[in-house]
Amino acid sequence: MKIGLTGGIASGKSTVADYLKELGATVLDADKIAHRLMEPQQKAWRKVVEYFGEEILLPNKQINRNKLGEIIFNNPSAKEKLDQLTHPIIIKEIKERLKELEEKKKIIIVEVPLLIEAGMIELFEEIWLVYLPKELQIERLMARNDFDYQTAVTRVESQMPLAEKRAFADLIINNNVTEKELKKELKQLWNKINLNN
């Protein structure tokens, strides 16, 4: 069974993924795959540097994420272009990794922040959404990244709202709770899917 785990910035996806790992789940992290493909001279890196120019690079040829972030967060068409350049390469890699793992594992969870936006729904039998109210998402992002309120709002609003993502989800993981309550819910969920698979 292939499960796509998604959410929004500061919604708690990684917390959920880490705890599922502790419980014994096989978890693929799409962000880590993307970061690897954005390393110097990798496929996605070449496409991005070709388009955005070498001024987005640090002296060691790594992409300066802050600089690229500033460009795309203030320019929707640049963000769209970045997605067009990188998503096909990342999706291809995820498909290959899933194929390898399917032979060995019954349940595979893939943590993908932009699962819905990138059109990856058909890769999974179930979509799990980590959900919390927008104001709490903004608060958590401010605390996590030391952002001021306006910066946090801009980042949250640059993504598809979690309320809209609910329509695509087979299961909602409510993260408007304490860590203890969240862990309890995830343990019950993991036990249940293990029984059924």
Side-chain angles (χ1 to χ4, degrees):
M1 184 186 196
K2 297 183 293 258
I3 296 162
L5 175 68
T6 194
I9 192 168
S11 63
K13 286 180 309 302
S14 299
T15 305
V16 168
D18 288 345
Y19 189 58
L20 287 166
K21 258 187 246 174
E22 274 177 40
L23 292 169
T26 299
V27 181
L28 271 184
D29 183 336
D31 266 354
K32 282 189 181 150
I33 291 171
H35 283 181
R36 196 167 49 72
L37 292 168
M38 293 279 266
E39 288 286 316
Q41 305 309 326
Q42 293 293 324
K43 286 177 196 166
W45 181 92
R46 288 203 292 268
K47 295 255 185 205
V48 171
V49 173
E50 209 173 282
Y51 183 81
F52 288 96
E54 296 207 354
E55 54 271 22
I56 63 158
L57 294 179
L58 294 162
N60 64 0
K61 299 292 182 199
Q62 294 278 356
I63 287 171
N64 182 337
R65 294 187 170 276
N66 291 338
K67 198 161 193 177
L68 185 59
E70 279 167 27
I71 295 167
I72 63 167
F73 277 113
N74 297 313
N75 182 343
S77 65
K79 184 180 187 309
E80 204 176 306
K81 186 65 191 175
L82 179 70
D83 292 346
Q84 283 169 4
L85 293 169
T86 58
H87 285 176
I89 297 167
I90 296 161
I91 290 168
K92 184 172 181 275
E93 181 79 10
I94 289 169
K95 281 180 178 173
E96 284 169 12
R97 295 287 299 280
L98 274 171
K99 208 172 171 192
E100 284 166 25
L101 285 167
E102 264 181 301
E103 292 162 19
K104 306 174 212 129
K105 304 285 180 185
K106 286 189 303 184
I107 302 161
I108 306 153
I109 297 169
V110 188
E111 181 191 347
V112 193
L114 300 177
L115 189 154
I116 295 156
E117 299 90 322
M120 292 171 67
I121 292 168
E122 76 287 346
L123 287 186
F124 304 102
E125 283 132 278
E126 280 195 9
I127 306 295
W128 292 3
L129 174 70
V130 183
Y131 179 83
L132 75 174
K134 184 179 172 185
E135 278 309 313
L136 185 56
Q137 193 182 359
I138 291 163
E139 270 174 43
R140 288 190 182 171
L141 183 57
M142 286 167 72
R144 188 188 79 183
N145 289 34
D146 201 21
F147 284 161
D148 60 46
Y149 182 76
Q150 198 44 58
T151 305
V153 169
T154 304
R155 292 288 167 109
V156 168
E157 288 183 350
S158 75
Q159 296 187 338
M160 182 180 184
L162 289 176
E164 272 179 43
K165 290 188 179 189
R166 290 179 73 111
F168 298 90
D170 298 290
L171 182 103
I172 308 280
I173 296 166
N174 177 22
N175 197 13
N176 186 13
V177 291
T178 65
E179 193 179 338
K180 194 178 172 188
E181 288 167 320
L182 179 66
K183 284 188 168 185
K184 188 181 171 192
E185 184 192 346
L186 290 171
K187 194 167 186 181
Q188 287 169 344
L189 182 59
W190 180 242
N191 290 340
K192 190 176 152 194
I193 63 161
N194 265 305
L195 276 176
N196 296 336
N197 285 277

